[in-house]
Amino acid sequence: MSRPTVRIAAAVAGLALAATAASATSASAAPVGGSAVIHESNAFFQQAAQAGIVAVPLPTATAGYDAATGLSASFPVTDGSGSLSTFFGGVNLGGGLLFVDARTGSAVSFHQLAFSFDNWTVTAVPDGSSTPIALFDPAGGNAITVSGSTQNLSADSLVLDAEGAQYLDNRLHTGFFTAGQSVGSFTVSYTPAS
């Protein structure tokens, strides 16, 4: 083998070893973790039920209920980067949301939920579409804390985004949803991958 050929072979072998080491390192690194929880207040639940509207989480999200705080939907954090405290980045969430209007017989489901730290908005993609819709905005008092590598947000109010309210009204053939309508509260616990 000539010297240039040996050098090229050595460089290729070095790149292969580096790629193997990088994949082994990333495979053993801790994945991103956490959850985002939408707490639907009893007041919103009762108003929605009277209008024939029901919203339920879809797998891999889970539902919960507390007599004092109302219904909740917990969405696992599946990916993300950035910082809550500097309003940079965001997280992707597992599961989905289904909205049903029993009076009109209409339904719409969403997947690919995400919370943008930049825009301070929860978005979701309607099934059959590729365009995200801004559904909810954390509002009111927002408390951000950091514990070790875990970042936490607690928003004492979660409101319907204008885009989400219009989209839901159109798809469900109702006039129930309005921009700024209080849904409940919102929490996020997010641990970046290491």
Side-chain angles (χ1 to χ4, degrees):
M1 253 195 240
S2 68
R3 275 193 203 176
T5 305
V6 170
R7 286 182 183 158
I8 291 170
V12 169
L15 288 173
L17 284 172
T20 302
S23 66
T25 301
S26 64
S28 63
V32 66
S35 64
V37 182
I38 295 174
H39 300 274
E40 182 181 10
S41 69
N42 282 323
F44 181 79
F45 173 73
Q46 291 167 1
Q47 293 166 1
Q50 289 171 356
I53 307 288
V54 177
V56 294
L58 299 172
T60 54
T62 56
Y65 176 74
D66 181 283
T69 59
L71 297 172
S72 65
S74 181
F75 303 89
V77 172
T78 59
D79 194 13
S81 63
S83 168
L84 276 164
S85 58
T86 60
F87 306 105
F88 172 75
V91 290
N92 296 327
L93 308 173
L97 269 176
L98 171 67
F99 291 84
V100 177
D101 186 334
R103 292 184 178 174
T104 65
S106 303
V108 61
S109 57
F110 297 88
H111 285 87
Q112 299 177 47
L113 277 75
F115 175 54
S116 168
F117 305 160
D118 306 69
N119 301 320
W120 218 241
T121 300
V122 177
T123 62
V125 177
D127 290 353
S129 174
S130 60
T131 305
I133 302 293
L135 286 179
F136 306 109
D137 304 317
N142 294 287
I144 297 171
T145 59
V146 177
S147 176
S149 61
T150 302
Q151 305 173 40
N152 302 287
L153 164 68
S154 178
D156 63 13
S157 180
L158 185 69
V159 299
L160 274 169
D161 189 274
E163 181 182 22
Q166 182 179 13
Y167 186 87
L168 288 168
D169 272 347
N170 290 342
R171 287 298 303 270
L172 298 180
H173 310 291
T174 182
F176 173 73
F177 299 99
T178 57
Q181 186 175 19
S182 177
V183 173
S185 60
F186 183 62
T187 59
V188 174
S189 177
Y190 158 62
T191 305
S194 61

